[in-house]
Amino acid sequence: MTRAAPGPFTATLLPDADFLALKAEIVARTGHHYYQDKDELLWERVRRRLHATGLVGAGAYLARLRDMAQGEAEWAALEAEITIGETFFFRYAEQFAALGETILPALLERARPRSRLRIWSAGCASGAEPYSVAILLRRLLGEALPDWRLSILGTDLNEAVLETARQARFSRWALRTLSPEELQRDFIPAADGRHWLLRPQHRAMVRFEKHNLLSLLDGTSPLQFTDYDLILCRNVLIYFHPEVVLRIVRALSERLHEGGWLLLGHAEPNPDFAEFLEVVNLPGTVAYRRRGETGLAPPSAATAAARPLPAGWPGSPPAVTNPAPWMPVAPTSAFPPGPAQPAAAPPRPAAPPSTAAAQEDSGAARQSGAGWLDQVRAQADRGDLLAASQACAAGLREWPLDAALHYYEGLVQRALGQRAAAERAFRRALYLRNDFVMAHYQLGLLLLDEGEAAAGRRALAVASRIAHAMPPDETVEEGDGMTARALRETARLHLDTHPAGTAR
């Protein structure tokens, strides 16, 4: 392996035979075709393991992976490096709205005679997705929950993130879609003041196992992976070769109970899936169902009364008895004030691949700053907000006209409790791009949280107007899959909650 200079990315990387053999073995074992044309990125991940093991070069590392005594442990460590564990609670609000309004009520109605439901979250990372489903199911079932046998399984290739998931301990960044009321209801502040622990009643509903989706294709998947009422496999298939994706989705469909549902990520639908799955178009998203059941029979009146929909979703009745109704909010909603962070700063993050492109306009800057954005997101998703803040600062030194970097600086500063710095960052993003709808939205939430109702309402109104001019089902930039329609509805909820002339 020849490199021009030390660093995680090297512009003159020359893959040798050992590296190519290592890459081929990694792709074959994990199915991560994603790395097929990303040699520098893969080499960065491998270099971390070379540093940890003291080995030199791809050849020596490949020998370690093939070693009978040490290979499996090293594979586990490498898989932890090469899998991307970005996850947060209630990710993609429109899909959770579909779960709460349509999919889960239909499943509960159908399964009521046997009072049994089996759910699989494939590629669950640190557990936010299956825990979100558990919270939602508890809300839907209410007092009837003890009468049900619920099985919620989260699986991942990465054993390290599964151990994190079992601890059910999350940073505020992973909880960024939750309001302060929801945090208090479903989580307990950790002793360190920087994390939150999922309440035991939710944690007990989910179990975790290591599982490789490729095992569905070669017959080695455990027999218990079958007869599911709902499978979620979101933002996992993007790493696989398209031909493998089709085979995996077909295999997942075969693991569904008749009439069972499958939810994929927003970027993962494929018309070919209609050959073996029923395509169901729902507001803001597409879902799939195993054939064998036709129509979407609404829950009976008795079932609907026993399991009301979460208040605040479109079409749901207003809450009457619940003082803190659940509603999906756009990503990175308000955080409660956090304690001061430790003074010790992590090492300066490594630079992304260098580029000689000049910053001719903000669009060019945004494209060129993409490597820094990836670092910011990765650090924040790991809960290291100080490192994320440093990555923002380093990226902005190189790309000061990147509106998205300023926007993420605002999100990170707000998560750190630095409200004034967050406001300045959001306003800089809007100075560079006045049509940045999420920056208007987040600035509005911040100002409302600071008691500046008039200014906050103005910012939210601008966000709503911009979203109104977009096609309803178009996803909003930096909105984590939020559609324009969903953002308009969520902004309206906040405007109704904070009428003119009031302060929070």
Side-chain angles (χ1 to χ4, degrees), residues 21-63:
L22 173 63
K23 181 174 74 171
E25 198 146 328
I26 290 172
V27 172
R29 175 172 171 126
T30 66
H32 282 196
H33 183 76
Y34 170 82
Y35 287 106
Q36 194 66 48
D37 59 351
K38 295 178 175 61
D39 287 352
E40 283 96 352
L41 184 59
L42 179 59
W43 181 239
E44 178 205 356
R45 308 291 195 257
V46 170
R47 282 184 64 242
R48 294 176 186 170
R49 294 308 309 158
L50 292 177
H51 178 76
T53 58
L55 298 172
V56 178
Y61 189 67
L62 183 57

Side-chain angles (χ1 to χ4, degrees), residues 368-399:
S368 300
W372 286 109
L373 284 174
D374 290 342
Q375 286 201 48
V376 172
R377 295 187 189 106
Q379 297 284 10
D381 287 328
R382 285 195 289 268
D384 195 342
L385 296 177
L386 289 175
S389 178
Q390 287 204 336
C392 280
L396 287 169
R397 283 194 294 271
E398 187 173 351
W399 303 107

Side-chain angles (χ1 to χ4, degrees), residues 36-308:
Q36 194 66 48
D37 59 351
K38 295 178 175 61
D39 287 352
E40 283 96 352
L41 184 59
L42 179 59
W43 181 239
E44 178 205 356
R45 308 291 195 257
V46 170
R47 282 184 64 242
R48 294 176 186 170
R49 294 308 309 158
L50 292 177
H51 178 76
T53 58
L55 298 172
V56 178
Y61 189 67
L62 183 57
R64 170 66 61 88
L65 292 175
R66 293 172 174 173
D67 184 84
M68 294 294 293
Q70 303 178 79
E72 282 305 310
E74 188 53 39
W75 269 115
L78 178 61
E79 288 163 354
E81 289 287 354
I82 67 174
T83 53
I84 300 173
E86 180 181 1
T87 179
F88 53 89
F89 275 73
F90 297 101
R91 186 179 187 184
Y92 299 145
E94 63 275 20
Q95 288 196 329
F96 273 94
L99 284 169
E101 293 179 8
T102 302
I103 297 173
L104 288 176
L107 288 174
L108 291 170
E109 175 69 12
R110 190 194 68 184
R112 187 165 49 147
R114 56 192 173 109
S115 297
R116 173 179 173 268
L117 209 62
R118 284 171 54 80
I119 298 172
W120 176 16
S121 171
C124 69
S126 56
E129 179 177 88
Y131 284 139
S132 296
V133 173
I135 292 172
L136 181 54
L137 270 175
R138 182 174 290 276
R139 297 279 288 171
L140 290 171
L141 285 169
E143 295 180 357
L145 181 69
D147 300 330
W148 284 75
R149 290 177 296 152
L150 301 175
S151 171
I152 305 176
L153 174 66
T155 66
D156 202 278
L157 180 67
N158 185 340
E159 181 61 53
V161 298
L162 290 176
E163 184 56 38
T164 299
R166 295 183 184 105
Q167 295 172 8
R169 184 172 181 266
F170 298 94
S171 69
R172 289 199 302 277
W173 185 260
L175 309 176
R176 59 189 184 268
T177 63
L178 304 184
S179 68
E181 294 77 15
E182 290 166 328
L183 281 175
Q184 294 296 334
R185 186 188 65 218
D186 296 321
F187 295 83
I188 303 169
D192 64 3
R194 299 173 58 192
H195 293 84
W196 294 78
L197 304 175
L198 187 67
R199 290 190 181 273
Q201 64 266 32
H202 303 315
R203 181 178 179 180
M205 295 174 65
V206 184
R207 63 187 179 89
F208 297 94
E209 292 182 15
K210 183 175 181 178
H211 183 267
N212 189 338
L213 285 172
L214 291 183
S215 68
L216 297 173
L217 308 183
D218 62 14
T220 60
S221 182
L223 296 177
Q224 67 265 26
F225 283 84
T226 190
D227 199 30
Y228 286 100
D229 299 285
L230 170 65
I231 297 176
L232 301 100
C233 186
R234 306 189 305 163
N235 305 304
V236 178
L237 301 177
I238 56 175
Y239 300 109
F240 295 96
H241 189 280
E243 294 179 2
V244 176
V245 168
L246 189 61
R247 295 175 60 200
I248 290 176
V249 173
R250 185 183 292 275
L252 290 173
S253 73
E254 294 168 354
R255 268 69 179 179
L256 286 169
H257 189 276
E258 183 178 298
W261 292 78
L262 173 66
L263 269 183
L264 305 176
H266 279 287
E268 296 166 331
N270 185 323
D272 292 339
F273 300 160
E275 295 178 7
F276 48 88
L277 284 167
E278 177 188 358
V279 180
V280 183
N281 288 297
L282 298 171
T285 192
V286 173
Y288 300 90
R289 191 168 53 174
R290 180 169 177 174
R291 291 193 174 96
E293 221 178 63
T294 59
L296 281 176
S300 66
T303 304
R307 295 184 284 273

